[in-house]
Amino acid sequence: AYASGAAWSFVRFVTDRVAATYTNGEAAFHTDLIGADPTGDVIAQLEGVLGSSLEDVMLDWAAALYVDGRVSANDAPLLQLLSWDLSDIFAPMPVEQRLVPDSGAFVPFALAGGVTGGGTSYTLLTDTNAHDALAVRVRDPSDGILSDVLRPRLWVVRIR
């Protein structure tokens, strides 16, 4: 039901990231993005327009969906939607329409869940006191190492 919102936010994210330095600005960026040859290598064309690998941009976008509006642009410049404040936009929405991560403290924990193709799972760890380092591992349901075919990526953003 919210897929169009995800597509919109990705286009807005890449526009904010690229348009300011793109030759002839946002309008030219959108023209080139929309005018890409649909029969060609779409990923290569998109990477050419973005100037970065799609994998890297997707990881930054996934983080930005939660970080935007919670961390300053100075602290996380690549994790912002400069033309929007997602935290402010989603705050008044019903809970089922907000990105609400699983949460826990900086103590040993185990979370079970799943992620479908291209998806992301979010976990927010909080602690008001000093704490030791925390190691994290992600495994399959049989406690095995995830296959490289899945191209799993783990990213961490520290929010103070």
Side-chain angles (χ1 to χ4, degrees):
Y2 306 112
S4 60
W8 163 88
S9 70
F10 181 71
V11 171
R12 188 70 256 162
F13 175 75
V14 297
T15 299
D16 286 351
R17 184 174 179 149
V18 173
T21 58
Y22 201 81
T23 303
N24 297 321
E26 186 171 323
F29 172 70
H30 285 163
T31 298
D32 291 348
L33 189 63
I34 294 166
D37 178 6
T39 62
D41 183 342
V42 176
I43 291 175
Q45 292 176 55
L46 184 56
E47 289 175 341
V49 172
L50 295 175
S52 299
S53 76
L54 182 58
E55 183 175 313
D56 289 345
V57 173
M58 293 289 289
L59 288 171
D60 288 348
W61 171 62
L65 290 174
Y66 185 75
V67 170
D68 183 63
R70 289 181 171 89
V71 175
S72 77
N74 289 335
D75 291 335
L78 296 178
L79 305 181
Q80 306 294 318
L81 275 82
L82 301 175
S83 57
W84 294 87
D85 180 339
L86 292 181
S87 178
D88 187 49
I89 290 169
F90 290 121
M93 292 183 164
V95 171
E96 56 274 355
Q97 291 180 317
R98 288 187 239 152
L99 194 164
V100 179
D102 292 324
S103 61
F106 276 87
V107 295
F109 68 94
L111 292 173
V115 177
T116 58
T120 301
S121 176
Y122 298 83
T123 302
L124 176 64
L125 301 177
T126 58
D127 200 330
T128 57
N129 301 311
H131 51 79
D132 292 330
L134 179 69
V136 176
R137 72 181 189 151
V138 180
R139 309 291 268 188
D140 72 14
S142 301
D143 200 32
I145 296 172
L146 297 177
S147 164
D148 284 343
V149 173
L150 297 175
R151 301 192 54 80
R153 300 295 177 262
L154 179 67
W155 46 265
V156 177
V157 177
R158 182 178 180 186
I159 301 173
R160 295 182 201 197

